[in-house]
Amino acid sequence: MKALVLSGGAGTRLRPITHTSAKQLVPVANKPVLFYGLESIAAAGITEVGMIVGDTAAEIEAAVGDGSAFGLKVTYIPQERPLGLAHAVLIARDFLGDDDFVMYLGDNFVVGGISDLVEEFRVCRPDAQILLTHVPDPRSFGVAELDASGRVVGLEEKPRQPKSDLALVGVYLFTPAVHEAVRAVQPSWRGELEITDAIQHLIDADADVRSTLVEGYWKDTGNVGDMLEVNRTVLESVQRRIDGEVDERSETVGRVVVERGARILNSRIVGPAVIGAGTVVRDSYVGPFTSVAENCRITGSELEFSIVLRDSSIDGVGRIESSLIGRHVEVTPTAKVPSAHRLVLGDHSKVQIRS
């Protein structure tokens, strides 16, 4: 069995972060979200991975390499532009051959991995198996319609009028039967070859298409809010570890990770939180659900429920929360400008001024 990992896409919902970096490499608890998926694939006993890459191919390849760091063998498959998930399967035909495969969206996060799902698929081997989860607004997802017995009878991509609240999670399992299906579909109203249309083709041909309801945590990390929530979830499981320097005027409370080479000076860190290698936190407060990457500087500030990427500095700006701060960013206070009020007031006026 092989894996097809999608790591192209423009990441428009994460801009401006993704103007200069791949969305799959934005870190969660100081580790790129893509790495969690690759680790799940390796844990499921899959070793051969085809990686679909686009404009950020060089950055993805630099981060993942040949895959050996994950116990994988990675083959890169270029996609000129994002033309849909079914198109990704289409261009990966030579790599996939006649093997079964799992397709994993590189910006998705599934707590608990996919080992049980892969094992179930290997035993039962339906033509396709999809993961579903209940969502409050299914219009942004592929949506499944089930009959009274729970069998998948219909799929639609980003419907304006969803027939259910069951969204497709970004993990799919297929036998080679899907290759004929992806060749048969036409571009949707979005101009893409939709994997939902390909699976619908299988359903219409009476193929064995099964679904599994995800009981655990799943997120598509395509926007800042979801990225912060995934960061919160991962940090919930960190174990306290202090490898860096914490001076006698500082305090670390709860599940705090201070990586080797980091320095905490006259500051308070309340976990769960991660402070990256080489980072200096001085005269500051870092609160729960915050990850600060390597070689950052936090001075005279408060930070909570946020992600700070590497080589950035936050200096004397008071409190920051619910924020995603990119690489090589400098956050400083504005200069204090003298203010004055110019008034022309008539007789018997009453004026209140907040100075």
Side-chain angles (χ1 to χ4, degrees), residues 178-316:
V178 75
H179 294 301
E180 188 277 329
V182 297
R183 289 195 300 270
V185 300
Q186 299 297 316
S188 67
W189 61 270
R190 301 194 305 153
E192 297 187 2
L193 296 178
E194 310 286 3
I195 198 65
T196 45
D197 290 343
I199 300 171
Q200 185 66 55
H201 181 87
L202 290 173
I203 294 170
D204 294 341
D206 292 325
D208 185 5
V209 177
R210 303 186 187 184
S211 66
T212 300
L213 189 64
V214 174
E215 300 292 348
Y217 184 86
W218 163 80
K219 274 289 185 183
D220 169 6
T221 60
N223 61 53
V224 172
D226 287 340
M227 185 69 70
L228 291 173
E229 282 298 327
V230 171
N231 194 61
R232 175 201 288 266
T233 300
V234 175
L235 288 176
E236 285 279 20
S237 63
V238 301
Q239 299 300 312
R240 181 178 174 87
R241 176 167 51 85
I242 308 296
D243 294 333
E245 174 191 344
V246 179
D247 74 2
E248 68 280 359
R249 296 172 299 161
S250 297
E251 181 184 20
T252 60
V253 180
R255 299 190 306 278
V256 173
V257 175
V258 179
E259 300 286 2
R260 189 176 303 279
R263 301 170 65 205
I264 312 299
L265 308 173
N266 193 33
S267 297
R268 189 168 192 257
I269 316 295
V270 178
V274 177
I275 308 299
T279 286
V280 177
V281 180
R282 185 190 303 271
D283 303 325
S284 296
Y285 165 79
V286 176
F289 309 114
T290 301
S291 59
V292 182
E294 64 271 21
N295 300 320
C296 292
R297 297 291 180 271
I298 312 295
T299 306
S301 301
E302 297 183 2
L303 189 63
E304 190 166 304
F305 189 47
S306 295
I307 299 172
V308 182
L309 276 59
R310 61 180 173 83
D311 300 303
S312 291
S313 66
I314 299 172
D315 186 0

Side-chain angles (χ1 to χ4, degrees), residues 20-301:
T20 53
S21 111
K23 64 178 180 177
Q24 298 84 6
L25 296 180
V26 176
V28 170
N30 286 0
K31 181 165 66 175
V33 67
L34 173 62
F35 288 10
Y36 292 96
L38 294 176
E39 289 169 356
S40 293
I41 288 167
I46 299 170
T47 57
E48 292 187 69
V49 175
M51 187 89 68
I52 302 291
V53 291
D55 292 342
T56 58
E59 190 178 6
I60 296 289
E61 291 185 34
V64 176
D66 63 1
S68 58
F70 305 92
L72 303 171
K73 178 183 178 183
V74 173
T75 300
Y76 292 97
I77 304 168
Q79 186 181 36
E80 290 185 8
R81 56 193 178 94
L83 292 173
L85 304 188
H87 181 261
V89 176
L90 204 61
I91 64 175
R93 183 69 175 90
D94 289 344
F95 166 77
L96 294 169
D98 292 325
D99 292 309
D100 297 346
F101 66 98
V102 55
M103 182 166 72
Y104 198 114
L105 274 59
D107 60 351
N108 275 229
F109 185 88
V110 181
V111 170
I114 60 171
S115 296
D116 291 344
L117 178 73
V118 169
E119 183 58 30
E120 178 186 348
F121 181 82
R122 282 174 165 149
V123 172
C124 302
R125 204 167 176 264
D127 295 301
Q129 187 160 346
I130 59 177
L131 272 67
L132 303 175
T133 189
H134 294 285
V135 295
D137 185 4
R139 291 174 298 176
S140 300
F141 303 93
V143 175
E145 180 185 3
L146 308 183
D147 65 14
S149 66
R151 187 172 63 93
V152 183
V153 295
L155 296 170
E156 192 175 2
E157 187 66 31
K158 295 182 174 60
R160 294 184 176 94
Q161 306 246 336
K163 295 179 180 178
S164 82
D165 67 346
L166 290 171
L168 276 74
V169 174
V171 180
Y172 310 77
L173 295 106
F174 295 112
T175 68
V178 75
H179 294 301
E180 188 277 329
V182 297
R183 289 195 300 270
V185 300
Q186 299 297 316
S188 67
W189 61 270
R190 301 194 305 153
E192 297 187 2
L193 296 178
E194 310 286 3
I195 198 65
T196 45
D197 290 343
I199 300 171
Q200 185 66 55
H201 181 87
L202 290 173
I203 294 170
D204 294 341
D206 292 325
D208 185 5
V209 177
R210 303 186 187 184
S211 66
T212 300
L213 189 64
V214 174
E215 300 292 348
Y217 184 86
W218 163 80
K219 274 289 185 183
D220 169 6
T221 60
N223 61 53
V224 172
D226 287 340
M227 185 69 70
L228 291 173
E229 282 298 327
V230 171
N231 194 61
R232 175 201 288 266
T233 300
V234 175
L235 288 176
E236 285 279 20
S237 63
V238 301
Q239 299 300 312
R240 181 178 174 87
R241 176 167 51 85
I242 308 296
D243 294 333
E245 174 191 344
V246 179
D247 74 2
E248 68 280 359
R249 296 172 299 161
S250 297
E251 181 184 20
T252 60
V253 180
R255 299 190 306 278
V256 173
V257 175
V258 179
E259 300 286 2
R260 189 176 303 279
R263 301 170 65 205
I264 312 299
L265 308 173
N266 193 33
S267 297
R268 189 168 192 257
I269 316 295
V270 178
V274 177
I275 308 299
T279 286
V280 177
V281 180
R282 185 190 303 271
D283 303 325
S284 296
Y285 165 79
V286 176
F289 309 114
T290 301
S291 59
V292 182
E294 64 271 21
N295 300 320
C296 292
R297 297 291 180 271
I298 312 295
T299 306
S301 301

